[in-house]
Amino acid sequence: MSFSFTVHEQDSGSQARCGRLTTSRGVIETPVFMPVGTSATVKAVPADFLRRLQASIILSNTYHLFLRPGHEVVRDLGGLHGFMDWEGSILTDSGGFQVYSHRQLRRIREEGVEFRSHLDGSRHFLSPERSVGIQQALGADIIMTFDDCTPYPVERAEARESMLRSMRWAQRCRDCHQDGPQTLFGIVQGGMFSELRRESLQRLLEIEFAGLALGGFSVGEPKPLMYDLVAQITPQLPASAPRYLMGVGTPLDILYCVQQGVDMFDCVMPTRNARNGTLFTWQGKVHIKNARYKSDAGPLDPQCGCMVCTSYSRAYLRHLYQSGEILSAILNSYHNLAFYLGLMKRVRDSIRRGKLDELAGLLRRSYEDDA
């Protein structure tokens, strides 16, 4: 598979940049948000809707697809692209974060991680080599190294031990990948310790990867601490390679981290919040279950041109949610992804026109409660 990345615009007032990431599946304009399709589906959103939204890349989950239906099944049915009818690019995470999130069911050793399935309690084992092999079988365009996600809070000694393990695993992933058809990204770890993050980065630079990610955030740390570390580490990442912040975040999180030079984002927030009745608009969050919307004939977001905002009233969306209708999850998820993908388009346009500060001010006013 072909892979390239070029930066073609730089914001004059920040580290923000516009780039073009190319895989054999097409061109991805950055900064980009990747909808999360954990189990070979973006929840409640068919692939045709993703095409309508002009999504260029989505993320799927190694851990979940390994457990169900099994990576061999996916491989034999045409890989993820054929399995889920998606012709765009796909990035798979390595399963490291999911093993971390089920830490009461796992045991870490140097060879890899033994864990029990959260589905049925069955025993399994993931190593760096097996994670890469699973991702290759899934047929993703971009794959990630298998890492040990450091918890928060944690003592520095434990954080360093975890980081060094991730770096040894990163080397093993690189060795077994051997310039295979998928593009392999490394993951910077080190918890909330800036010197450990810098040490992790240096070790990854010596191994050499096509792109680098910042992992181990959104694990319970205070947001100012995350912001501070992202601001410190991101400019140290190679300027010629894509920079990916994993699992982040709110609209304000994304805009702040774009200003630090991050190119790629993923998060379940738009679809998870949609299913829980929280919708993102250019006027701020709308909690659609609130009684104030019972007879509201207006559109969800007057500034949004998606099919939800041009076709349905707030009253109807509230009715669907209150009634527990499946259509509620579908329409809410569609709109929230339209907002996130639209936000990224406005970010790119603002960088090109030198108006990113203006967009940041607008967003902060709309989402001041999240600041």
Side-chain angles (χ1 to χ4, degrees):
M1 294 185 183
S2 61
F3 177 87
S4 66
F5 178 73
T6 56
V7 175
H8 53 83
E9 297 283 350
Q10 180 73 52
D11 183 50
S12 59
S14 71
Q15 300 294 319
R17 68 225 195 126
C18 286
R20 186 168 291 116
L21 193 160
T22 304
T23 76
S24 62
R25 302 279 174 176
V27 174
I28 301 159
E29 299 291 338
T30 64
V32 65
F33 178 81
M34 299 179 284
V36 175
T38 299
S39 298
T41 171
V42 177
K43 284 184 171 58
V45 183
D48 189 54
F49 283 12
L50 294 172
R51 286 187 280 271
R52 187 182 300 184
L53 289 166
Q54 298 183 330
S56 54
I57 180 171
I58 63 174
L59 177 146
S60 284
N61 184 271
T62 297
Y63 169 91
H64 288 280
L65 292 169
F66 165 63
L67 292 178
R68 184 173 58 192
H71 54 289
E72 297 96 341
V73 172
V74 176
R75 178 197 60 208
D76 294 345
L77 292 172
L80 277 173
H81 297 89
F83 190 53
M84 64 184 296
D85 183 33
W86 175 249
E87 64 273 16
S89 297
I90 298 176
L91 181 149
T92 46
D93 58 18
S94 66
F97 181 81
Q98 285 66 41
V99 171
Y100 155 83
S101 64
H102 297 295
R103 54 190 178 274
Q104 70 277 10
L105 303 174
R106 70 174 190 182
R107 185 167 73 89
I108 298 176
R109 48 193 174 92
E110 187 62 27
E111 293 79 10
V113 182
E114 295 176 353
F115 65 95
R116 288 184 177 273
S117 166
H118 70 287
L119 299 173
D120 59 11
S122 57
R123 290 182 180 274
H124 299 275
F125 177 75
L126 270 181
S127 66
E129 293 81 6
R130 193 163 197 205
S131 173
V132 169
I134 292 167
Q135 293 180 81
Q136 289 174 332
L138 293 173
D141 305 281
I142 300 172
I143 66 177
M144 306 301 297
T145 56
F146 189 61
D147 59 337
D148 178 15
C149 188
T150 308
Y152 178 87
V154 67
E155 295 295 327
R156 184 187 182 282
E158 183 180 343
R160 187 165 194 270
E161 180 184 0
S162 172
M163 180 273 289
L164 291 175
R165 182 182 299 113
S166 288
M167 298 307 96
R168 293 191 295 270
W169 287 358
Q171 181 67 67
R172 287 166 58 186
C173 288
R174 186 72 176 86
D175 291 343
C176 71
H177 177 252
Q178 289 293 321
D179 296 318
Q182 283 91 6
T183 299
L184 180 65
F185 280 21
I187 304 175
V188 177
Q189 287 289 356
M192 301 303 140
F193 300 92
S194 59
E195 73 278 11
L196 295 185
R197 291 273 176 178
R198 287 192 293 271
E199 182 179 353
S200 174
L201 172 57
Q202 186 57 47
R203 290 174 182 270
L204 292 173
L205 292 175
E206 292 170 2
I207 300 172
E208 297 185 354
F209 292 95
L212 289 175
L214 300 179
F217 287 107
S218 294
V219 292
E221 76 279 3
K223 189 166 291 189
L225 180 55
M226 179 191 79
Y227 280 8
D228 182 55
L229 284 170
V230 170
Q232 289 185 52
I233 301 300
T234 304
Q236 300 179 38
L237 302 177
S240 59
R243 302 159 170 174
Y244 169 26
L245 179 58
M246 305 180 77
V248 176
T250 69
L252 287 180
D253 291 343
I254 289 175
L255 190 55
Y256 175 84
C257 295
V258 163
Q259 291 175 308
Q260 310 313 311
V262 175
D263 305 302
M264 302 171 68
F265 301 85
D266 81 275
C267 190
V268 298
M269 186 167 285
T271 47
R272 180 176 290 170
N273 276 316
R275 298 192 301 277
N276 293 324
T278 298
L279 305 174
F280 295 93
T281 76
W282 286 101
Q283 297 78 48
K285 288 181 184 175
V286 170
H287 301 285
I288 202 65
K289 63 185 175 184
N290 288 356
R292 61 186 288 193
Y293 302 120
K294 183 177 181 179
S295 303
D296 190 335
L300 172 61
D301 185 351
Q303 295 184 39
C304 177
C306 82
M307 71 171 186
V308 176
C309 293
T310 57
S311 301
Y312 304 105
S313 66
R314 292 182 173 191
Y316 182 63
L317 295 176
R318 180 182 186 274
H319 161 69
L320 292 177
Y321 183 82
Q322 293 295 99
S323 302
E325 291 288 342
I326 294 172
L327 185 57
S328 173
I330 295 171
L331 295 182
N332 290 353
S333 298
Y334 185 94
H335 166 77
N336 274 0
L337 286 178
F339 176 85
Y340 265 67
L341 294 170
L343 169 63
M344 303 315 291
K345 186 176 186 301
R346 287 185 69 168
V347 164
R348 294 191 297 268
D349 290 344
S350 296
I351 293 171
R352 295 183 187 109
R353 295 187 296 110
K355 301 286 187 179
L356 191 59
D357 281 346
E358 186 177 309
L359 178 62
L362 184 155
L363 207 63
R364 278 194 292 269
R365 288 190 294 273
S366 297
Y367 286 89
E368 58 186 352
D369 292 341
D370 291 340

